[in-house]
Amino acid sequence: ANGGNGVVAVGATGGGGGCGRISVIYNTTANSSSFTGQSSISVAVGTGGTLAEVGSAALVDKKGTGATTDDDISIYKGWDWLAADTTGSLFTYNNIASTNASIVSIETGLTFNLQSTGNLTITNSIWSLPASGTATFNNIVTAAISSSSQITGGVLSTITLGATTISLSTTSHIKGGVLSTITLGATTISLSTTSHIKGGTVSITAPTITVDGTSTIDGSALGSRGGYKDGNAGANGEGTGGGIGTINDNTYAAGGGAYGGKGGTGAGGVVANFAGGSEYGSALAPVAMGSGGGGVNSSSKAGGNGGGLITLTVSGTLTVSGSILANGGNGTATACAGGGAGCSGGGGSGGGINITAATLAGAGTITANGGNGVVAVGATGGGGGGGRIFIGYDTLSSFICAVSNVRAYGA
């Protein structure tokens, strides 16, 4: 179901056609299950002046019943989860699999809820939420995300995944944008071979969590927004300890965001230097993300975002061989509109990391450092304050709680 090509005429090229949609529904109890043509399915876009969209192709095994709860759906190349294909927002299948460089999208405005009585297998595929989109995956036995696959959302997106076992491997990710929320619950969760979980607020509950030496759980620069950063139209950093900025564009240095430590005051601004934010929150129960640094006039001189909030609740063993991060983002800087001198945004503060585990193991790093205020022609934005880290455990099994491993430095 390929799209047609746009035609070239004396340099002008018509746009290529979008792909069609293929859905093959079959019943293995009544028909042969020996079909092997999946690898030949094609929903390629046509060539032309502007690229069109990929179409969709899936095979659905009905298994001889009228109910959808025991259906298996296999997605090839592309698929759209659409409100028109369900009642309300609930999609119910047994086993769900996407492979073969699939691009899977969720319709804008659809609060996506996928329930499975079997396994979710995502291989060499990208599942994409719209900005502010919500996706919930429930009752899954094994969720296996591998081979450069992603479940990805934008700013303010929400991703919730509940399964018996969740594994990310071979450069695979579950990630959201700034101020996103990611919630995972399982018996066993593992990240291996350069895999990552990234979000503004990340909450993971499991008896066993393992992060190998190449992988991360990361909320860096995904917390409260800096001035003029990622859709923040104001000069001040967002959050309780937001750094102070200014709408003016004439040799200013903005203040850094604060959390566990105070944000730094800008320095070197010929006209004015603005104050950093004040510290806030609990040392024993970090429940907030970091605050943004102040910005100066525009996004080219924005403050850095604060680090996010990561909460890990582990009734058994947490093994951290890689990294758990909630660092603040750096400010940005450039010459002021009048020229000759610089205007600099402040760094975002480190975020919050709240870990409770029966046993803590591994030799990785846990950091919530503040972001840097950047230098521009003499003016330097204030550095972000350090975040807050709490680690509560019953047994320390090889994990090294040293300065080199656990840090919440100010910039």
Side-chain angles (χ1 to χ4, degrees):
N2 297 333
N5 297 329
V7 178
V8 180
V10 196
T13 306
C19 309
R21 301 188 183 277
I22 299 172
S23 179
V24 180
I25 300 174
Y26 60 96
N27 184 335
T28 54
T29 62
N31 301 303
S32 169
S33 60
S34 61
F35 179 70
T36 58
Q38 296 96 322
S39 62
S40 300
I41 291 174
S42 177
V43 284
V45 298
T47 60
T50 302
L51 290 178
E53 290 187 344
V54 174
S56 62
L59 306 182
V60 180
D61 182 355
K62 298 292 292 182
K63 296 188 176 178
T65 74
T68 63
T69 53
D70 64 354
D71 290 359
D72 292 344
I73 182 169
S74 300
I75 297 167
Y76 300 90
K77 294 297 186 184
W79 188 254
D80 294 318
W81 296 103
L82 303 172
D85 292 332
T86 188
T87 300
S89 61
L90 180 63
F91 297 83
T92 305
Y93 289 93
N94 180 31
N95 296 306
I96 304 109
S98 66
T99 187
N100 203 20
S102 294
I103 305 295
V104 180
S105 62
I106 297 170
E107 183 179 18
T108 299
L110 173 64
T111 301
F112 178 72
N113 189 343
L114 179 63
Q115 283 200 171
S116 167
T117 54
N119 300 324
L120 172 65
T121 305
I122 301 176
T123 306
N124 190 27
S125 302
I126 297 175
W127 288 50
S128 178
L129 283 69
S132 302
T134 298
T136 301
F137 303 82
N138 276 328
N139 301 329
I140 294 163
V141 177
T142 298
I145 305 168
S146 63
S147 302
S148 301
S149 294
Q150 298 180 24
I151 299 176
T152 180
V155 173
L156 293 169
S157 60
T158 300
I159 300 171
T160 303
L161 173 57
T164 303
T165 301
I166 299 172
S167 66
L168 283 75
S169 61
T170 321
T171 320
S172 294
H173 314 301
I174 298 175
K175 63 180 183 179
V178 175
L179 300 175
S180 61
T181 300
I182 295 176
T183 305
L184 305 183
T187 301
T188 302
I189 298 175
S190 63
L191 286 74
S192 62
T193 324
T194 324
S195 294
H196 310 287
I197 297 171
K198 297 184 177 183
T201 299
V202 177
S203 178
I204 305 177
T205 303
T208 303
I209 299 176
T210 303
V211 182
D212 85 350
T214 65
S215 301
T216 63
I217 299 173
D218 191 356
S220 296
L222 295 175
S224 298
R225 297 175 295 185
Y228 300 115
K229 183 76 172 179
D230 290 325
N232 176 12
N236 295 342
E238 294 181 332
T240 303
I244 305 302
T246 177
I247 193 173
N248 297 311
D249 189 13
N250 187 12
T251 325
Y252 295 100
Y259 188 12
K262 187 180 184 301
T265 298
V270 175
V271 175
N273 298 306
F274 289 89
S278 298
E279 60 266 46
Y280 60 97
S282 167
L284 294 176
V287 293
M289 57 182 59
S291 297
V296 179
N297 183 257
S298 70
S299 60
S300 64
K301 295 151 292 214
N305 293 334
L309 172 66
I310 296 174
T311 304
L312 306 181
T313 306
V314 188
S315 59
T317 300
L318 169 62
T319 302
V320 182
S321 299
S323 300
I324 298 175
L325 310 171
N327 300 321
N330 297 333
T332 56
T334 188
C336 299
C343 290
S344 303
S349 78
I353 297 177
N354 193 340
I355 296 173
T356 303
T359 300
L360 183 61
T365 57
I366 301 174
T367 68
N369 298 327
N372 296 324
V374 179
V375 179
V377 198
T380 305
R388 294 193 183 275
I389 299 174
F390 173 81
I391 303 174
Y393 58 87
D394 296 321
T395 302
L396 191 63
S397 175
S398 76
F399 189 83
I400 304 170
C401 286
V403 173
S404 59
N405 293 73
V406 181
R407 302 187 300 272
Y409 292 169

